[in-house]
Amino acid sequence: MKILVINAGSSSLKYQLFDMDTGEVIAKGLCEKIGIDGAITHKRPGREDYHAEVTFRDHDDAIALVLKLLTDKDLGVISDLSEIDAIGNRVAHGGEKLRRSMLVGDEEIQYLYSIVGINPLHGPPAIKGIEACRRQMPGKPLACVFDTSYYATLPDYAYIYPLPYEYYEKYLIRRYGFHGTSHRYVTGRVSELCGRPLEELKVITCHLGNGSSITATKYGKAVDTSMGFTPQEGLPMGTRSGSVDPTVIPYIARMEGLTPDETDKMLNGKSGLLGISGVSSDCREVRAAAEAGNDRARLALDVLVYDIKKLIGSYIAAMNGVDVLVFTAGIGENDRDLRRRVCAEMDFFGIAIDEAVNENAPRGKEVDISAPGSRVRTFVIPTDEEYMIALDTMKLVTK
Ligand code: ADP
């Protein structure tokens, strides 16, 4: 069975074609600058990459070219589109109604339109990607896998904000949580790596990338997560502030004369690692600057490490313990020093890592970095959201 996974952003579209019999990616690529001008990079394992500057008026143009390349005589990997059994779309937000991966049709797409207001950044491009797939491959089973659906199990006291309750009723203001597909994937791997069912485990997963979130999963169910109504809450990220005293925000807006949209841009685009360090949103560049003596870069990393520790501690309290701690995504998988610092002086919780194993953990591999005898097992697990989407899609079409 072959599954095409699509992840559409506002001006980009990523794709991966999986052969589910082997679990391998047989082609993948990236369409960029959609609606601006356009470029495509098309990759096939073991063969030379193909790159072209093209014109993408919209997501339909991008999907059309992807399908053409996949079936191209020289650059393709399949001879006909009928070889693709189904399409899996990544969708950030499923709102309060779409709470599991599902095959979608008109009704679900209408619902996605209706919640664009609470998901203005990621909603419209995801819908464009879905609509483009429907037009270019009519009748092909089309699944959506929502970042939010992993959090359908959150208890109400973990998702209701202490604001007037009417805003939850009127505007659906609550914690939704994001990155759920990544947290679900690595949590699933934990069970495999520990040889124990998830129903026996308390797991804390740290997805640390450009966007970062931490999730607590107790006995197989997500019970809390750091991102909230939007992917803005929780940890400081590349350019996003994460949590701050809410009153600071209108105060800055008044002092600087910012509109609500400008305030959003400041919180989303100028804060986090970039905001504190003034150097970069990229953790590697912030680290390099800190090592070269830049004190604000040092401070940005210190804030990040401190906030990760505090969240881990709070989830240990929420679950009355933890059995497994996981690091994943760009920073979590690669930044050894950050992992070392997060896990330092956590022996009260039973968390201790083997510094040599952590230091030498090979990139892109699943590694148990726990110190011998530590009560909590700590893993580095590369995330694979696309594979998770392909798996969900396969399950839906073979049901
Ligand atoms: P996204 O959230 O966009 O998917 P990624 O998961 O790719 O992002 O993570 C990007 C982050 O990972 C960047 O801050 C980058 O600096 C960081 N990163 C990647 N490799 C390393 C590394 N070797 N050391 C430290 N940080 C790294």
Side-chain angles (χ1 to χ4, degrees):
M1 169 168 286
K2 294 194 178 67
I3 308 276
L4 179 62
V5 174
I6 299 287
N7 183 354
S10 55
S11 65
S12 71
L13 184 144
K14 292 186 208 148
Y15 61 95
Q16 291 200 11
L17 182 64
F18 284 88
D19 181 342
M20 299 308 286
D21 301 330
T22 60
E24 276 167 15
V25 175
I26 50 179
K28 66 176 181 178
L30 170 67
C31 302
E32 292 172 282
K33 298 190 244 170
I34 298 172
I36 304 163
D37 38 44
I40 187 162
T41 306
H42 176 69
K43 301 181 178 213
R44 297 149 301 160
R47 291 158 76 184
E48 209 177 310
D49 293 352
Y50 169 80
H51 182 83
E53 306 287 320
V54 288
T55 302
F56 291 137
R57 282 167 306 178
D58 50 27
H59 289 70
D60 270 87
D61 277 358
I63 293 276
L65 182 59
V66 169
L67 299 180
K68 189 161 171 269
L69 285 180
L70 289 173
T71 51
D72 185 82
K73 199 155 55 61
D74 300 319
L75 299 165
V77 290
I78 52 176
S79 50
D80 191 272
L81 287 184
S82 63
E83 286 183 47
I84 299 176
D85 295 282
I87 308 154
N89 269 275
R90 177 185 183 187
V91 181
H93 211 315
E96 280 220 304
K97 284 212 180 124
L98 309 182
R99 309 308 308 267
R100 57 181 169 78
S101 302
M102 59 179 72
L103 294 170
V104 298
D106 291 340
E107 197 184 317
E108 289 78 18
I109 294 170
Q110 274 316 311
Y111 180 73
L112 290 178
Y113 272 113
S114 77
I115 58 164
V116 156
I118 59 170
N119 182 30
L121 280 185
H122 300 106
I127 297 171
K128 280 184 194 159
I130 296 167
E131 303 253 52
C133 289
R134 295 226 299 174
R135 276 190 290 269
Q136 304 286 335
M137 286 173 280
K140 190 80 76 191
L142 187 74
C144 284
V145 176
F146 305 98
D147 280 21
T148 47
S149 63
Y150 189 52
Y151 303 109
T153 51
L154 253 48
D156 53 3
Y157 54 80
Y159 71 70
I160 288 293
Y161 290 115
L163 293 168
Y165 193 77
E166 67 194 81
Y167 297 133
Y168 167 57
E169 295 173 311
K170 273 209 284 204
Y171 306 126
L172 299 175
I173 303 224
R174 51 160 288 178
R175 178 183 309 287
Y176 288 99
F178 296 87
H179 288 149
T181 309
S182 172
H183 289 286
R184 182 158 61 98
Y185 173 79
V186 295
T187 304
R189 293 299 307 148
V190 161
S191 163
E192 192 97 344
L193 291 165
C194 293
R196 285 174 67 186
L198 282 178
E199 290 67 29
E200 291 177 4
L201 295 169
K202 296 171 184 171
V203 184
I204 296 176
T205 44
C206 307
H207 176 113
L208 310 171
N210 275 320
S212 298
S213 63
I214 305 190
T215 292
T217 302
K218 187 178 185 182
Y219 306 144
K221 287 187 178 143
V223 291
D224 207 348
T225 191
S226 61
M227 283 179 165
F229 177 62
T230 69
Q232 172 72 256
E233 197 184 341
L235 294 170
M237 314 183 204
T239 60
R240 286 177 240 164
S241 64
S243 300
V244 293
D245 175 346
T247 309
V248 164
I249 296 155
Y251 183 76
I252 293 176
R254 278 195 296 273
M255 297 302 281
E256 296 275 316
L258 302 179
T259 64
D261 281 353
E262 287 165 345
T263 310
D264 250 5
K265 281 198 181 120
M266 178 273 291
L267 290 168
N268 257 301
K270 295 185 184 168
S271 302
L273 291 180
L274 173 66
I276 301 175
S277 72
V279 172
S280 170
S281 63
D282 189 297
C283 194
R284 273 168 299 198
E285 290 173 16
V286 177
R287 175 167 299 290
E291 281 165 8
N294 182 318
D295 199 50
R296 273 173 52 190
R298 185 269 315 154
L299 178 60
L301 293 175
D302 285 358
V303 171
L304 176 63
V305 167
Y306 183 63
D307 282 359
I308 297 170
K309 273 178 172 283
K310 281 203 296 188
L311 267 174
I312 292 172
S314 70
Y315 292 154
I316 293 174
M319 295 194 290
N320 186 24
V322 60
D323 300 301
V324 181
L325 177 66
V326 178
F327 290 94
T328 192
I331 300 173
E333 290 167 32
N334 296 301
D335 194 329
R336 296 147 182 182
D337 190 58
L338 180 124
R339 292 194 303 254
R340 181 186 61 75
R341 291 182 59 198
V342 167
C343 297
E345 296 182 33
M346 297 278 258
D347 44 312
F348 178 79
F349 294 130
I351 296 171
I353 62 168
D354 184 317
E355 292 204 3
V357 174
N358 177 54
E359 192 55 38
N360 297 311
R363 295 241 153 91
K365 291 268 183 316
E366 296 175 337
V367 188
D368 183 345
I369 58 170
S370 329
S374 69
R375 201 165 68 242
V376 175
R377 287 183 76 183
T378 304
F379 291 99
V380 178
I381 303 181
T383 192
D384 197 343
E385 289 156 290
E386 285 75 15
Y387 182 63
M388 191 82 248
I389 295 169
L391 267 183
D392 279 7
T393 306
M394 180 173 78
K395 281 187 200 148
L396 287 165
V397 289
T398 50
K399 227 198 260 181

